[in-house]
Amino acid sequence: MPESEFDKILNLALKKLEGLDPKLTYHCIDHTIDVIKHSSRIAHDEGVNNREIFLLKIAAAYHDTGFLFKYDGHEEKSCEIFLEDCGRLNLKAADKDLILGLIRATKVPQLPKTLLQRIICDADLDYLGRIDFTEIANRLKTEFLNYSIVPDETRWHELQLKFLEGHHYHTNSSRLIREPVKKANLKGIR
């Protein structure tokens, strides 16, 4: 698919995401763009073909659109939003099913079954193994406090520590590139 076709899809998704609650300091347009970028990077590293990368990027563009309507269970709402829009996209039924599977795979705890699902899951949590981890984690902390997911910073710290200790990357490239930095980030939290 030509890049201009993806740009149309991206613009459609981003236009919707402009309506996100400003209290979503982590699950925002920047996060969506980050997931698209890292989905593409990881897919290239894993040797995925261009057609699959195109579908992966569509899933990344839509994976958090459900936050427009709900926090818990937003993945299913994201699927509904994608299905409403996919009439404008020239996609086969198998492509639509693949994209729905990718969106659903991002639900935590992540249990990806295919390579493309492993890629989008790693892209969704790519920041855990990056040097900008603290900045992005602070945005998630603010969001969790805004939505009363955690009552205070102490509980946030406990939750983050537990999450990082239990997390693992699913692709070879993310394990190679991100795991060492994630271990350093975990050590810093401890």
Side-chain angles (χ1 to χ4, degrees), residues 2-166:
E3 190 62 29
S4 62
E5 184 67 20
F6 176 71
D7 288 342
K8 289 179 201 171
I9 296 163
L10 177 61
N11 288 334
L12 185 61
L14 293 181
K15 186 80 171 149
K16 290 179 183 299
L17 291 171
E18 288 175 3
L20 286 170
D21 183 345
K23 294 191 311 184
L24 291 165
T25 52
Y26 171 81
H27 292 102
C28 59
I29 289 176
D30 290 342
H31 171 69
T32 296
I33 292 168
D34 190 67
V35 175
I36 294 166
K37 173 184 169 185
H38 292 288
S39 289
S40 184
R41 177 190 55 79
I42 296 166
H44 283 290
D45 291 348
E46 295 290 322
V48 172
N49 69 49
N50 288 337
R51 176 69 182 170
E52 290 175 322
I53 291 172
F54 174 71
L55 299 174
L56 187 61
K57 288 167 54 177
I58 293 172
Y62 277 89
H63 86 284
D64 279 345
T65 54
F67 276 106
L68 289 160
F69 298 95
K70 61 194 297 186
Y71 205 101
D72 289 332
H74 71 273
E75 296 88 1
E76 281 307 314
K77 192 64 181 171
S78 297
C79 288
E80 290 174 26
I81 293 167
F82 164 71
L83 288 172
E84 288 168 8
D85 286 357
C86 74
R88 301 180 194 184
L89 315 175
N90 191 18
L91 297 173
K92 298 174 187 168
D95 292 341
K96 292 175 192 175
D97 289 342
L98 186 143
I99 291 167
L100 293 171
L102 292 172
I103 293 169
R104 289 180 177 121
T106 63
K107 183 177 176 73
V108 174
Q110 296 176 332
L111 302 169
K113 294 178 178 74
T114 68
L115 175 60
L116 293 182
Q117 288 177 5
R118 291 193 298 272
I119 290 168
I120 198 168
C121 286
D122 282 358
D124 197 25
L125 296 174
D126 187 72
Y127 82 98
L128 297 175
R130 296 193 326 229
I131 59 171
D132 61 352
F133 165 77
T134 302
E135 173 193 336
I136 295 171
N138 283 333
R139 292 199 305 255
L140 184 59
K141 175 180 72 175
T142 300
E143 181 174 306
F144 276 23
L145 290 167
N146 287 343
Y147 282 87
S148 300
I149 294 168
V150 294
D152 54 39
E153 293 213 15
T154 300
R155 183 65 184 114
W156 159 255
H157 182 76
E158 293 166 357
L159 186 67
Q160 186 181 45
L161 185 60
K162 182 179 177 184
F163 186 77
L164 273 169
E165 288 173 341

Side-chain angles (χ1 to χ4, degrees), residues 45-46 122 129 169 171-181:
D45 291 348
E46 295 290 322
D122 282 358
Y169 286 108
T171 60
N172 292 331
S173 57
S174 291
R175 282 191 293 269
L176 181 68
I177 296 167
R178 297 299 189 217
E179 194 64 37
V181 179

